[in-house]
Amino acid sequence: MILVTGGAGFIGSNYILGWLRRGDEPVVNLDILTYAGNPANLSALVADPRYAFHRGDICDQEMVESLLRQHSIRAVIHFAAESHVDRSIHGPDAFVQTNVVGTFRLLEAARRHWLTLPVQDRDRFRFLHVSTDEVYGSLAADDPPFRETGRYEPNSPYSASKAASDHLVRSYHHTYGLPVVTTNCSNNYGPFQFPEKLIPLCIHNALSGKPLPIYGDGRQVRDWLYVEDHCTAIERVLAAGRPGETYNIGGWNEQANIDVVRVLCGILDEERPRVGGGSYADQITFVKDRPGHDRRYAIDARKIEEQLGWRPADTFATGIRKTVRWYLEHGDWVASVVSGGYREWIDRQYGR
Ligand code: NAD
Ligand code: TYD
């Protein structure tokens, strides 16, 4: 059985759904359900005997340890985190608490559990830490993309807290021999992404007749990966990654923010023409830039391809159309997550 942390969030819920579509090994989902966690993402599994949900905090080491023992966990896939850069600028405390302290507590619980396992099971055990390309900092336009050997240069409280967690994970392998693997992935998009991140925010605002806020000049570049591809990459690393190694995961798909939003608007114009005519692109509005905004991220994903045979299956063109259609078909999901607390955040962030 595997333990997934943060499985009610965006990537974690896609991961659990995909895992149980492709195989039969049961999953326990440990999630505290912050604003970003939504158990409705996994409503298809409520009666599935292969799935169990446990509401709790990764910082609660004793509880985590007993969960690992109770379910004879053979692998931990660690997604739980505070994940939004803008929120980390307004309130970094929660990022240090969950991403740094939480990962430390989880590592301690995993190490203690691992030590109780028979020797043959100890070798098979895995702690897979899901991290981000943002730990490598910002690239200039002509820099080569990030490699696993690149220097850590995190620039936001979010990326700094993820960098710290990566270092702790590394140390648990080096010092205690815990079989860890770390993945550093680029920006994801797809179903179940909370509408505070660029792509779902712009889809939601477009359909609500609101401005599509572009920070600064909109020429910041991200390497966008369809979430299903991230999930299959993690499965591949879990199955064949070498303990102690890190793997960069990316979509070979660098795009400037303004271009991403223009593509979104073009698809929306086709799929759900604007009432009263015109293009959703007319709603694009340039707003004040994010403080310390990283200019460019790009992943060199050759290591995972050459060593583990993984490449993304979706292109940006196929992934983004599927994503727009998903949001169009799941207006009720969006409405349910757009709660009072979310509206307060939007007022604070964009009311400037
Ligand atoms: P998300 O914010 O959508 O979900 C995070 C989940 O973690 C939520 O369900 C939340 O309730 C849970 N959680 C938060 N604190 C917790 C705690 N203390 N105990 C238990 N559960 C807790 O995040 P996401 O976008 O799905 O990202 C998942 C992971 O992938 C994160 O570690 C993130 O750093 C990493 N990542 C994300 C992206 C991306 O583009 N979204 C890219 C690369 C890496
Ligand atoms: P985001 O989805 O927050 O991911 P990250 O900051 O982790 O890369 O943002 C993606 C890019 O889009 C980033 O360069 C910031 C930009 N952005 C906007 O221009 N407007 C917005 O309203 C948001 C949320 C993001």
Side-chain angles (χ1 to χ4, degrees), residues 5-13 30-38 56-59 78-84 97-99 102 129-134 158 162 183-189 192-194 196-197 224-225 230:
T5 71
F10 163 46
I11 308 174
S13 53
L30 169 64
D31 197 302
I32 200 171
L33 300 182
T34 65
Y35 78 94
N38 184 354
D57 191 341
I58 55 166
C59 296
H78 177 33
F79 293 97
E82 288 294 334
S83 69
H84 187 33
Q97 183 60 23
T98 295
N99 300 359
H129 177 56
V130 180
S131 192
T132 167
D133 61 355
E134 302 192 24
Y158 164 66
K162 291 298 289 188
T183 56
N184 293 92
C185 187
S186 60
N187 286 61
N188 284 213
Y189 65 98
F192 300 118
Q193 188 168 30
F194 197 84
E196 65 183 354
K197 304 276 170 77
W224 294 95
L225 180 70
H230 187 187

Short mmCIF file of all heavy atoms in Angstrom, two decimals, residues 5-13 30-38 56-59 78-84 97-99 102 129-134 158 162 183-189 192-194 196-197 224-225 230, ligand 1:
data_model
loop_
_atom_site.label_atom_id
_atom_site.label_comp_id
_atom_site.label_asym_id
_atom_site.label_seq_id
_atom_site.Cartn_x
_atom_site.Cartn_y
_atom_site.Cartn_z
N THR A 5 0.58 12.03 0.42
CA THR A 5 0.24 13.22 1.23
C THR A 5 -0.25 14.32 0.29
O THR A 5 0.23 14.43 -0.85
CB THR A 5 1.46 13.74 2.02
OG1 THR A 5 2.39 14.34 1.10
CG2 THR A 5 2.13 12.64 2.82
N GLY A 6 -1.22 15.09 0.74
CA GLY A 6 -1.75 16.18 -0.09
C GLY A 6 -2.54 15.68 -1.28
O GLY A 6 -2.63 16.35 -2.31
N GLY A 7 -3.16 14.52 -1.13
CA GLY A 7 -3.87 13.89 -2.24
C GLY A 7 -5.20 14.53 -2.58
O GLY A 7 -5.83 14.15 -3.57
N ALA A 8 -5.65 15.51 -1.77
CA ALA A 8 -6.89 16.20 -2.13
C ALA A 8 -6.61 17.49 -2.89
O ALA A 8 -7.53 18.23 -3.24
CB ALA A 8 -7.71 16.50 -0.86
N GLY A 9 -5.34 17.78 -3.14
CA GLY A 9 -4.97 18.96 -3.91
C GLY A 9 -4.97 18.66 -5.40
O GLY A 9 -5.41 17.59 -5.84
N PHE A 10 -4.46 19.61 -6.15
CA PHE A 10 -4.50 19.52 -7.62
C PHE A 10 -3.75 18.29 -8.16
O PHE A 10 -4.35 17.37 -8.76
CB PHE A 10 -3.93 20.83 -8.17
CG PHE A 10 -3.50 20.82 -9.61
CD1 PHE A 10 -4.31 20.27 -10.60
CD2 PHE A 10 -2.28 21.39 -9.98
CE1 PHE A 10 -3.91 20.28 -11.95
CE2 PHE A 10 -1.88 21.41 -11.31
CZ PHE A 10 -2.69 20.85 -12.29
N ILE A 11 -2.46 18.24 -7.94
CA ILE A 11 -1.69 17.15 -8.56
C ILE A 11 -1.94 15.83 -7.83
O ILE A 11 -2.10 14.78 -8.45
CB ILE A 11 -0.18 17.47 -8.58
CG1 ILE A 11 0.06 18.85 -9.22
CG2 ILE A 11 0.60 16.40 -9.36
CD1 ILE A 11 1.51 19.31 -9.17
N GLY A 12 -2.04 15.90 -6.49
CA GLY A 12 -2.25 14.68 -5.70
C GLY A 12 -3.53 13.96 -6.10
O GLY A 12 -3.56 12.73 -6.21
N SER A 13 -4.61 14.70 -6.35
CA SER A 13 -5.87 14.01 -6.69
C SER A 13 -5.78 13.41 -8.09
O SER A 13 -6.25 12.29 -8.32
CB SER A 13 -7.09 14.91 -6.53
OG SER A 13 -6.92 16.10 -7.22
N LEU A 30 -3.36 11.15 2.96
CA LEU A 30 -3.27 11.96 4.18
C LEU A 30 -3.29 13.43 3.78
O LEU A 30 -2.36 13.91 3.11
CB LEU A 30 -1.96 11.64 4.93
CG LEU A 30 -1.60 12.59 6.07
CD1 LEU A 30 -2.63 12.54 7.19
CD2 LEU A 30 -0.21 12.25 6.62
N ASP A 31 -4.34 14.13 4.18
CA ASP A 31 -4.48 15.53 3.77
C ASP A 31 -5.21 16.28 4.86
O ASP A 31 -6.21 15.80 5.40
CB ASP A 31 -5.27 15.60 2.44
CG ASP A 31 -5.11 16.94 1.75
OD1 ASP A 31 -5.44 17.97 2.37
OD2 ASP A 31 -4.66 16.96 0.59
N ILE A 32 -4.71 17.48 5.17
CA ILE A 32 -5.36 18.27 6.24
C ILE A 32 -6.53 19.08 5.71
O ILE A 32 -7.32 19.62 6.48
CB ILE A 32 -4.32 19.19 6.93
CG1 ILE A 32 -4.78 19.64 8.30
CG2 ILE A 32 -3.96 20.36 6.05
CD1 ILE A 32 -3.72 20.36 9.11
N LEU A 33 -6.66 19.16 4.39
CA LEU A 33 -7.72 19.94 3.72
C LEU A 33 -7.62 21.43 4.04
O LEU A 33 -8.48 22.00 4.73
CB LEU A 33 -9.12 19.40 4.07
CG LEU A 33 -9.38 17.95 3.68
CD1 LEU A 33 -10.81 17.55 4.04
CD2 LEU A 33 -9.13 17.72 2.18
N THR A 34 -6.56 22.05 3.56
CA THR A 34 -6.47 23.52 3.58
C THR A 34 -7.44 24.02 2.52
O THR A 34 -8.15 23.23 1.87
CB THR A 34 -5.06 23.99 3.21
OG1 THR A 34 -4.80 23.64 1.85
CG2 THR A 34 -3.99 23.40 4.12
N TYR A 35 -7.41 25.33 2.25
CA TYR A 35 -8.27 25.89 1.20
C TYR A 35 -8.05 25.17 -0.13
O TYR A 35 -8.93 25.11 -0.98
CB TYR A 35 -7.97 27.40 1.03
CG TYR A 35 -6.70 27.63 0.24
CD1 TYR A 35 -6.75 27.83 -1.13
CD2 TYR A 35 -5.45 27.57 0.87
CE1 TYR A 35 -5.59 27.98 -1.87
CE2 TYR A 35 -4.29 27.71 0.14
CZ TYR A 35 -4.36 27.92 -1.23
OH TYR A 35 -3.22 28.04 -1.96
N ALA A 36 -6.82 24.61 -0.34
CA ALA A 36 -6.47 24.00 -1.62
C ALA A 36 -6.87 22.53 -1.72
O ALA A 36 -6.78 21.93 -2.79
CB ALA A 36 -4.96 24.13 -1.86
N GLY A 37 -7.30 21.95 -0.61
CA GLY A 37 -7.65 20.52 -0.60
C GLY A 37 -9.14 20.35 -0.73
O GLY A 37 -9.91 20.97 0.00
N ASN A 38 -9.56 19.52 -1.66
CA ASN A 38 -10.99 19.36 -1.91
C ASN A 38 -11.31 17.87 -2.07
O ASN A 38 -11.01 17.28 -3.11
CB ASN A 38 -11.34 20.13 -3.19
CG ASN A 38 -12.82 20.11 -3.48
OD1 ASN A 38 -13.60 19.43 -2.79
ND2 ASN A 38 -13.22 20.85 -4.50
N GLY A 56 -5.51 14.78 8.30
CA GLY A 56 -4.50 15.05 9.33
C GLY A 56 -3.35 15.84 8.76
O GLY A 56 -3.23 16.05 7.55
N ASP A 57 -2.48 16.25 9.70
CA ASP A 57 -1.38 17.17 9.40
C ASP A 57 -0.07 16.39 9.27
O ASP A 57 0.26 15.60 10.16
CB ASP A 57 -1.30 18.17 10.58
CG ASP A 57 -0.38 19.33 10.30
OD1 ASP A 57 0.46 19.24 9.39
OD2 ASP A 57 -0.51 20.34 11.02
N ILE A 58 0.68 16.65 8.23
CA ILE A 58 1.98 15.96 8.08
C ILE A 58 2.95 16.35 9.21
O ILE A 58 3.93 15.66 9.43
CB ILE A 58 2.65 16.22 6.71
CG1 ILE A 58 2.80 17.72 6.43
CG2 ILE A 58 1.90 15.51 5.59
CD1 ILE A 58 3.74 18.03 5.27
N CYS A 59 2.64 17.48 9.90
CA CYS A 59 3.51 17.88 11.02
C CYS A 59 3.30 17.00 12.26
O CYS A 59 4.08 17.07 13.21
CB CYS A 59 3.23 19.34 11.40
SG CYS A 59 3.63 20.49 10.08
N HIS A 78 5.05 12.26 -1.57
CA HIS A 78 4.83 13.46 -0.76
C HIS A 78 4.52 14.70 -1.62
O HIS A 78 5.41 15.34 -2.15
CB HIS A 78 6.08 13.69 0.09
CG HIS A 78 6.04 14.92 0.93
ND1 HIS A 78 4.88 15.43 1.48
CD2 HIS A 78 7.04 15.77 1.32
CE1 HIS A 78 5.17 16.53 2.16
NE2 HIS A 78 6.47 16.76 2.07
N PHE A 79 3.21 15.00 -1.71
CA PHE A 79 2.75 16.19 -2.44
C PHE A 79 2.40 17.34 -1.49
O PHE A 79 2.40 18.49 -1.93
CB PHE A 79 1.46 15.89 -3.22
CG PHE A 79 1.59 14.92 -4.36
CD1 PHE A 79 1.29 13.58 -4.20
CD2 PHE A 79 1.99 15.36 -5.62
CE1 PHE A 79 1.38 12.68 -5.26
CE2 PHE A 79 2.09 14.48 -6.69
CZ PHE A 79 1.78 13.13 -6.51
N ALA A 80 2.03 17.01 -0.23
CA ALA A 80 1.43 18.05 0.63
C ALA A 80 2.35 19.25 0.76
O ALA A 80 3.54 19.11 1.06
CB ALA A 80 1.16 17.47 2.02
N ALA A 81 1.80 20.43 0.51
CA ALA A 81 2.59 21.66 0.58
C ALA A 81 1.65 22.86 0.49
O ALA A 81 0.51 22.74 0.06
CB ALA A 81 3.59 21.71 -0.58
N GLU A 82 2.17 23.98 0.89
CA GLU A 82 1.61 25.26 0.46
C GLU A 82 2.29 25.54 -0.87
O GLU A 82 3.52 25.47 -0.97
CB GLU A 82 1.94 26.36 1.48
CG GLU A 82 1.18 26.25 2.79
CD GLU A 82 -0.32 26.46 2.63
OE1 GLU A 82 -0.72 27.16 1.69
OE2 GLU A 82 -1.09 25.94 3.46
N SER A 83 1.51 25.87 -1.91
CA SER A 83 2.07 25.81 -3.26
C SER A 83 1.96 27.10 -4.08
O SER A 83 2.42 27.12 -5.22
CB SER A 83 1.39 24.67 -4.03
OG SER A 83 0.04 25.01 -4.30
N HIS A 84 1.38 28.16 -3.51
CA HIS A 84 1.13 29.34 -4.35
C HIS A 84 2.11 30.47 -4.03
O HIS A 84 2.11 31.01 -2.91
CB HIS A 84 -0.32 29.79 -4.15
CG HIS A 84 -0.75 30.87 -5.09
ND1 HIS A 84 -0.29 30.99 -6.37
CD2 HIS A 84 -1.60 31.91 -4.92
CE1 HIS A 84 -0.84 32.04 -6.96
NE2 HIS A 84 -1.64 32.62 -6.10
N GLN A 97 6.21 26.32 7.80
CA GLN A 97 5.65 25.30 8.67
C GLN A 97 5.35 24.00 7.89
O GLN A 97 5.83 22.93 8.25
CB GLN A 97 4.36 25.84 9.33
CG GLN A 97 3.72 24.91 10.32
CD GLN A 97 4.63 24.55 11.50
OE1 GLN A 97 5.57 25.27 11.82
NE2 GLN A 97 4.37 23.40 12.11
N THR A 98 4.61 24.12 6.81
CA THR A 98 4.21 22.89 6.10
C THR A 98 5.35 22.33 5.26
O THR A 98 5.65 21.13 5.32
CB THR A 98 3.00 23.18 5.20
OG1 THR A 98 1.90 23.53 6.03
CG2 THR A 98 2.63 21.97 4.35
N ASN A 99 5.98 23.19 4.48
CA ASN A 99 6.93 22.67 3.49
C ASN A 99 8.25 22.24 4.13
O ASN A 99 8.84 21.24 3.71
CB ASN A 99 7.19 23.73 2.40
CG ASN A 99 5.91 24.11 1.68
OD1 ASN A 99 4.84 23.59 1.97
ND2 ASN A 99 5.98 25.03 0.73
N GLY A 102 6.97 20.37 8.08
CA GLY A 102 6.13 19.21 7.74
C GLY A 102 6.93 18.12 7.03
O GLY A 102 6.78 16.93 7.34
N HIS A 129 9.75 12.46 -3.00
CA HIS A 129 9.48 13.86 -2.66
C HIS A 129 9.19 14.63 -3.94
O HIS A 129 10.02 14.70 -4.84
CB HIS A 129 10.72 14.41 -1.96
CG HIS A 129 10.63 15.86 -1.61
ND1 HIS A 129 9.61 16.39 -0.84
CD2 HIS A 129 11.44 16.91 -1.91
CE1 HIS A 129 9.80 17.69 -0.70
NE2 HIS A 129 10.90 18.04 -1.34
N VAL A 130 7.98 15.22 -3.99
CA VAL A 130 7.55 15.94 -5.20
C VAL A 130 7.94 17.42 -5.04
O VAL A 130 7.38 18.12 -4.19
CB VAL A 130 6.03 15.81 -5.39
CG1 VAL A 130 5.60 16.56 -6.65
CG2 VAL A 130 5.63 14.33 -5.48
N SER A 131 8.89 17.86 -5.85
CA SER A 131 9.32 19.25 -5.72
C SER A 131 9.21 19.99 -7.06
O SER A 131 8.59 19.48 -8.01
CB SER A 131 10.74 19.31 -5.16
OG SER A 131 11.04 20.64 -4.78
N THR A 132 9.79 21.15 -7.10
CA THR A 132 9.52 22.10 -8.18
C THR A 132 10.81 22.57 -8.84
O THR A 132 11.88 22.55 -8.23
CB THR A 132 8.77 23.32 -7.59
OG1 THR A 132 8.78 24.38 -8.54
CG2 THR A 132 9.46 23.85 -6.34
N ASP A 133 10.69 23.04 -10.08
CA ASP A 133 11.85 23.62 -10.77
C ASP A 133 12.20 25.00 -10.22
O ASP A 133 13.28 25.53 -10.52
CB ASP A 133 11.61 23.71 -12.29
CG ASP A 133 10.42 24.59 -12.69
OD1 ASP A 133 9.69 25.07 -11.80
OD2 ASP A 133 10.22 24.78 -13.91
N GLU A 134 11.28 25.57 -9.41
CA GLU A 134 11.51 26.95 -8.94
C GLU A 134 12.69 27.03 -7.98
O GLU A 134 13.22 28.12 -7.74
CB GLU A 134 10.23 27.51 -8.30
CG GLU A 134 9.07 27.47 -9.29
CD GLU A 134 7.84 28.24 -8.86
OE1 GLU A 134 7.95 29.17 -8.05
OE2 GLU A 134 6.75 27.90 -9.37
N TYR A 158 8.13 30.67 -1.22
CA TYR A 158 7.69 29.33 -1.64
C TYR A 158 8.86 28.48 -2.10
O TYR A 158 9.10 27.38 -1.60
CB TYR A 158 6.64 29.44 -2.77
CG TYR A 158 6.41 28.13 -3.51
CD1 TYR A 158 5.85 27.04 -2.86
CD2 TYR A 158 6.79 27.99 -4.85
CE1 TYR A 158 5.65 25.83 -3.54
CE2 TYR A 158 6.60 26.79 -5.53
CZ TYR A 158 6.04 25.71 -4.86
OH TYR A 158 5.86 24.52 -5.52
N LYS A 162 10.62 25.07 -0.48
CA LYS A 162 10.74 23.80 -1.21
C LYS A 162 12.21 23.40 -1.30
O LYS A 162 12.55 22.22 -1.18
CB LYS A 162 10.13 23.91 -2.62
CG LYS A 162 8.62 24.05 -2.67
CD LYS A 162 7.85 22.87 -2.08
CE LYS A 162 7.91 21.63 -2.95
NZ LYS A 162 7.00 20.57 -2.45
N THR A 183 11.73 14.58 -7.25
CA THR A 183 11.43 15.04 -8.61
C THR A 183 11.25 16.55 -8.57
O THR A 183 10.64 17.08 -7.64
CB THR A 183 10.15 14.38 -9.15
OG1 THR A 183 9.07 14.63 -8.24
CG2 THR A 183 10.32 12.89 -9.33
N ASN A 184 11.82 17.24 -9.55
CA ASN A 184 11.66 18.70 -9.67
C ASN A 184 10.95 18.97 -10.98
O ASN A 184 11.52 18.81 -12.05
CB ASN A 184 13.03 19.39 -9.64
CG ASN A 184 13.71 19.24 -8.29
OD1 ASN A 184 14.47 18.30 -8.07
ND2 ASN A 184 13.41 20.11 -7.37
N CYS A 185 9.69 19.38 -10.86
CA CYS A 185 8.85 19.50 -12.05
C CYS A 185 8.53 20.97 -12.35
O CYS A 185 8.52 21.83 -11.47
CB CYS A 185 7.56 18.72 -11.83
SG CYS A 185 6.53 18.63 -13.31
N SER A 186 8.23 21.20 -13.61
CA SER A 186 7.86 22.55 -14.07
C SER A 186 6.36 22.79 -13.80
O SER A 186 5.68 21.95 -13.22
CB SER A 186 8.17 22.66 -15.56
OG SER A 186 7.43 21.69 -16.26
N ASN A 187 5.85 23.93 -14.26
CA ASN A 187 4.44 24.31 -14.02
C ASN A 187 3.47 23.31 -14.62
O ASN A 187 3.56 22.99 -15.80
CB ASN A 187 4.15 25.67 -14.65
CG ASN A 187 4.75 26.81 -13.86
OD1 ASN A 187 5.97 26.87 -13.71
ND2 ASN A 187 3.93 27.71 -13.37
N ASN A 188 2.53 22.87 -13.80
CA ASN A 188 1.49 21.95 -14.25
C ASN A 188 0.21 22.71 -14.57
O ASN A 188 -0.05 23.77 -14.01
CB ASN A 188 1.13 20.98 -13.13
CG ASN A 188 2.15 19.88 -12.90
OD1 ASN A 188 1.80 18.78 -12.53
ND2 ASN A 188 3.43 20.15 -13.11
N TYR A 189 -0.62 22.11 -15.42
CA TYR A 189 -1.98 22.60 -15.65
C TYR A 189 -2.85 21.40 -15.95
O TYR A 189 -2.34 20.34 -16.35
CB TYR A 189 -2.01 23.62 -16.81
CG TYR A 189 -1.64 22.99 -18.14
CD1 TYR A 189 -2.63 22.58 -19.04
CD2 TYR A 189 -0.32 22.77 -18.49
CE1 TYR A 189 -2.31 21.98 -20.23
CE2 TYR A 189 0.01 22.16 -19.70
CZ TYR A 189 -0.98 21.77 -20.55
OH TYR A 189 -0.66 21.14 -21.74
N PHE A 192 -8.84 20.08 -11.93
CA PHE A 192 -8.77 20.21 -10.47
C PHE A 192 -7.75 21.22 -9.98
O PHE A 192 -7.41 21.22 -8.81
CB PHE A 192 -8.48 18.86 -9.78
CG PHE A 192 -9.48 17.77 -10.03
CD1 PHE A 192 -9.12 16.58 -10.67
CD2 PHE A 192 -10.81 17.92 -9.62
CE1 PHE A 192 -10.03 15.57 -10.89
CE2 PHE A 192 -11.73 16.91 -9.84
CZ PHE A 192 -11.35 15.73 -10.48
N GLN A 193 -7.23 22.08 -10.88
CA GLN A 193 -6.30 23.09 -10.38
C GLN A 193 -7.09 24.26 -9.81
O GLN A 193 -8.02 24.78 -10.44
CB GLN A 193 -5.35 23.57 -11.48
CG GLN A 193 -4.24 24.48 -10.92
CD GLN A 193 -3.12 24.75 -11.90
OE1 GLN A 193 -3.34 24.77 -13.11
NE2 GLN A 193 -1.92 24.96 -11.40
N PHE A 194 -6.72 24.67 -8.62
CA PHE A 194 -7.45 25.73 -7.91
C PHE A 194 -7.36 27.04 -8.69
O PHE A 194 -6.28 27.42 -9.14
CB PHE A 194 -6.83 25.90 -6.51
CG PHE A 194 -7.72 26.64 -5.56
CD1 PHE A 194 -8.71 25.98 -4.86
CD2 PHE A 194 -7.57 28.00 -5.37
CE1 PHE A 194 -9.54 26.67 -3.98
CE2 PHE A 194 -8.39 28.70 -4.50
CZ PHE A 194 -9.38 28.03 -3.80
N GLU A 196 -6.66 29.94 -8.49
CA GLU A 196 -5.81 31.06 -8.08
C GLU A 196 -4.55 31.07 -8.95
O GLU A 196 -3.83 32.04 -8.99
CB GLU A 196 -5.39 30.91 -6.62
CG GLU A 196 -4.51 29.70 -6.37
CD GLU A 196 -4.13 29.47 -4.92
OE1 GLU A 196 -4.44 30.31 -4.07
OE2 GLU A 196 -3.52 28.42 -4.64
N LYS A 197 -4.30 29.94 -9.66
CA LYS A 197 -3.13 29.82 -10.52
C LYS A 197 -3.51 30.32 -11.92
O LYS A 197 -4.69 30.31 -12.30
CB LYS A 197 -2.66 28.36 -10.58
CG LYS A 197 -2.35 27.75 -9.21
CD LYS A 197 -0.96 28.07 -8.72
CE LYS A 197 -0.73 27.68 -7.27
NZ LYS A 197 -0.52 26.28 -7.02
N TRP A 224 5.31 24.56 -19.43
CA TRP A 224 4.02 24.00 -18.99
C TRP A 224 3.91 22.52 -19.30
O TRP A 224 4.18 22.09 -20.42
CB TRP A 224 2.87 24.77 -19.64
CG TRP A 224 2.80 26.19 -19.17
CD1 TRP A 224 3.33 27.29 -19.78
CD2 TRP A 224 2.19 26.66 -17.96
NE1 TRP A 224 3.08 28.41 -19.03
CE2 TRP A 224 2.38 28.07 -17.91
CE3 TRP A 224 1.49 26.04 -16.91
CZ2 TRP A 224 1.91 28.85 -16.86
CZ3 TRP A 224 1.01 26.84 -15.88
CH2 TRP A 224 1.22 28.21 -15.86
N LEU A 225 3.46 21.76 -18.30
CA LEU A 225 3.31 20.30 -18.44
C LEU A 225 1.88 19.91 -18.03
O LEU A 225 1.41 20.32 -16.95
CB LEU A 225 4.32 19.59 -17.52
CG LEU A 225 4.28 18.06 -17.55
CD1 LEU A 225 4.81 17.52 -18.88
CD2 LEU A 225 5.11 17.46 -16.40
N HIS A 230 2.83 14.67 -15.59
CA HIS A 230 3.59 14.71 -14.33
C HIS A 230 3.34 13.43 -13.53
O HIS A 230 4.26 12.82 -12.99
CB HIS A 230 3.18 15.95 -13.53
CG HIS A 230 4.01 16.21 -12.31
ND1 HIS A 230 3.71 17.17 -11.40
CD2 HIS A 230 5.15 15.61 -11.85
CE1 HIS A 230 4.61 17.17 -10.43
NE2 HIS A 230 5.49 16.23 -10.67
P1 NAD B 1 -2.13 22.17 -4.00
O1 NAD B 1 -1.92 23.46 -3.25
O2 NAD B 1 -3.20 22.09 -5.03
O3 NAD B 1 -2.41 20.99 -2.95
C1 NAD B 1 -1.70 20.84 -1.76
C2 NAD B 1 -2.45 19.84 -0.89
O4 NAD B 1 -1.68 19.64 0.32
C3 NAD B 1 -3.84 20.30 -0.47
O5 NAD B 1 -4.77 19.25 -0.64
C4 NAD B 1 -3.68 20.63 1.00
O6 NAD B 1 -4.86 20.44 1.77
C5 NAD B 1 -2.58 19.66 1.41
N1 NAD B 1 -1.84 20.11 2.62
C6 NAD B 1 -1.32 21.35 2.83
N2 NAD B 1 -0.74 21.39 4.04
C7 NAD B 1 -0.87 20.15 4.59
C8 NAD B 1 -0.46 19.57 5.82
N3 NAD B 1 0.20 20.30 6.75
N4 NAD B 1 -0.74 18.27 6.07
C9 NAD B 1 -1.43 17.54 5.13
N5 NAD B 1 -1.85 18.04 3.95
C10 NAD B 1 -1.58 19.33 3.69
O7 NAD B 1 -0.71 21.82 -4.60
P2 NAD B 1 -0.34 21.14 -6.01
O8 NAD B 1 -0.30 22.19 -7.06
O9 NAD B 1 -1.17 19.92 -6.19
O10 NAD B 1 1.18 20.72 -5.73
C11 NAD B 1 1.48 19.47 -5.09
C12 NAD B 1 2.99 19.37 -4.91
O11 NAD B 1 3.64 19.47 -6.17
C13 NAD B 1 3.58 20.49 -4.05
O12 NAD B 1 4.56 19.94 -3.22
C14 NAD B 1 4.20 21.45 -5.05
O13 NAD B 1 5.31 22.12 -4.48
C15 NAD B 1 4.62 20.49 -6.14
N6 NAD B 1 4.66 21.07 -7.51
C16 NAD B 1 3.57 21.74 -8.00
C17 NAD B 1 3.62 22.24 -9.31
C18 NAD B 1 2.43 22.96 -9.90
O14 NAD B 1 2.54 23.48 -11.01
N7 NAD B 1 1.28 22.98 -9.25
C19 NAD B 1 4.77 22.05 -10.10
C20 NAD B 1 5.86 21.36 -9.54
C21 NAD B 1 5.78 20.86 -8.25
#
